[in-house]
Amino acid sequence: MIGTEIEHLIKLIGRLPGLGPRSARRVALHLLKNREALMLPLAQALNKAADVIEECPDCHNLDTQRPCAICASSVRDRGIICVIEDIADLWAIEKTGSFKGYYHVLGGTLSALDGIGPEDLSIPHLLERARDDRVKEVIVALNATIDGQTTAHYIADCLHSCNVSVTQLAHGVPIGGQIDYLDDGTLAAALRSRKAV
Amino acid sequence: MIGTEIEHLIKLIGRLPGLGPRSARRVALHLLKNREALMLPLAQALNKAADVIEECPDCHNLDTQRPCAICASSVRDRGIICVIEDIADLWAIEKTGSFKGYYHVLGGTLSALDGIGPEDLSIPHLLERARDDRVKEVIVALNATIDGQTTAHYIADCLHSCNVSVTQLAHGVPIGGQIDYLDDGTLAAALRSRKAV
């Protein structure tokens, strides 16, 4: 007894990540109850974003300009490229304000199971960028998951032939973390990489 | 360093129920990566639904037709009105296929704290509908929460003057429920309303 238009809307909302059929219904109802304040502005923002946002040809970030604002910046350090899996990781690192080099978004991780090879990611493009003489360091900032670490090792191997140092993020106790609640792997890594006070 | 258009989109998505800032970013990225398949169809569906879907003047359901398909149906039982809090509840009851009367969507529950009185809900309209001679029974199917039950009692009191019987949903063990895991209130209600086998 739900109208076709509402059902179609619920189906589309249900395809968003993290939303099941029940939350999709809840979101659809919330939208229909807030038409002027939320539903129409959202439709407009979706159309606008789909229209103006493009992938950066250099780092594969998304932005309204080509190349993106980060790649177009002249005050950043051309010597460092930070390799990340996804644009969300770029946003997370940018938010810390503690990295002033350039980025390279892979667009995923290698996965033999899903048939994702180096050519499906932007790895060949990364190697090409790393061959630039100005680049001195590549930080491989991939997730500390099995797929992420496999990809990190593969990239480090490929970069051997380029004249760059390859680094990775430090493993250890998260700021604010409680030792009692940490997993064995993190604690072992933190012990191995202990530092003088 | 996130572009204005993306930030605006993330802000709007973050206002949907059940989505925090992190999931809003995730949804926005997913949309931007699936422009043709999801983003543009969603924008279109939002615009279309905002345009064609209206509130039913009889039962306050949402539908593309006025009155809604349920109120316009002639095969349903005019003698029973089922009062629910929200349209999501109407969808849930319709899905069971075990109710063939008409509905009345309140649009919320009474709440002294939030300043929601009977006039803010469609309670006066319900009383008007209940005065129709054809109506024999009003099922008050509100949530078994404190606000829901307060509203149910208020409605039952108001309906005293109308010539209708007022009923409520049965409380008891949910189908598939394990007695060991049930709360005391439900178990006590199930015991009180026990039936001969």
Side-chain angles (χ1 to χ4, degrees), chain B residues 8-99:
Chain B
H8 180 59
L9 183 64
I10 292 174
K11 221 171 100 189
L12 283 172
I13 293 173
R15 283 172 52 197
L16 299 175
L19 290 170
R22 193 176 290 271
S23 27
R25 278 199 296 273
R26 195 160 144 239
V27 166
L29 265 180
H30 183 81
L31 283 166
L32 284 164
K33 284 179 196 161
N34 297 278
R35 250 171 253 211
E36 298 302 322
L38 189 54
M39 196 171 185
L40 293 174
L42 181 60
Q44 208 178 357
L46 286 169
N47 272 325
K48 180 79 193 282
D51 191 37
V52 299
I53 291 165
E54 294 180 282
E55 187 175 316
C56 172
D58 292 344
C59 72
H60 306 278
N61 184 14
L62 290 169
D63 203 351
T64 44
Q65 58 189 84
R66 261 173 84 95
C68 75
I70 295 173
C71 289
S73 161
S74 56
V75 295
R76 299 183 77 109
D77 183 356
R78 282 251 164 252
I80 315 181
I81 294 177
C82 179
V83 180
I84 60 262
E85 191 180 317
D86 200 65
I87 295 163
D89 303 332
L90 185 157
W91 292 346
I93 295 176
E94 267 304 277
K95 222 170 56 186
T96 68
S98 52
F99 177 68

Side-chain angles (χ1 to χ4, degrees), chain A residues 87-101:
Chain A
I87 295 163
D89 303 333
L90 186 156
W91 292 345
I93 294 176
E94 267 305 278
K95 221 170 56 185
T96 68
S98 52
F99 177 68
K100 288 294 165 214

Side-chain angles (χ1 to χ4, degrees), chain B residues 137-192:
Chain B
E137 181 181 353
V138 172
I139 307 175
V140 185
L142 300 183
N143 292 333
T145 56
I146 293 183
D147 276 351
Q149 291 308 299
T150 312
T151 314
H153 279 298
Y154 178 83
I155 291 174
D157 276 351
C158 292
L159 288 171
H160 257 311
S161 58
C162 309
N163 191 20
V164 293
S165 63
V166 182
T167 56
Q168 66 170 3
L169 296 182
H171 290 304
V173 184
I175 304 296
Q178 288 178 280
I179 289 171
D180 193 15
Y181 286 89
L182 277 182
D183 63 294
D184 298 351
T186 308
L187 210 49
L191 271 172
R192 269 199 307 278

Side-chain angles (χ1 to χ4, degrees), chain A residues 157-178:
Chain A
D157 276 351
C158 293
L159 288 171
H160 258 310
S161 58
C162 308
N163 191 20
V164 293
S165 64
V166 182
T167 56
Q168 66 169 6
L169 296 182
H171 289 303
V173 183
I175 304 295
Q178 288 177 279

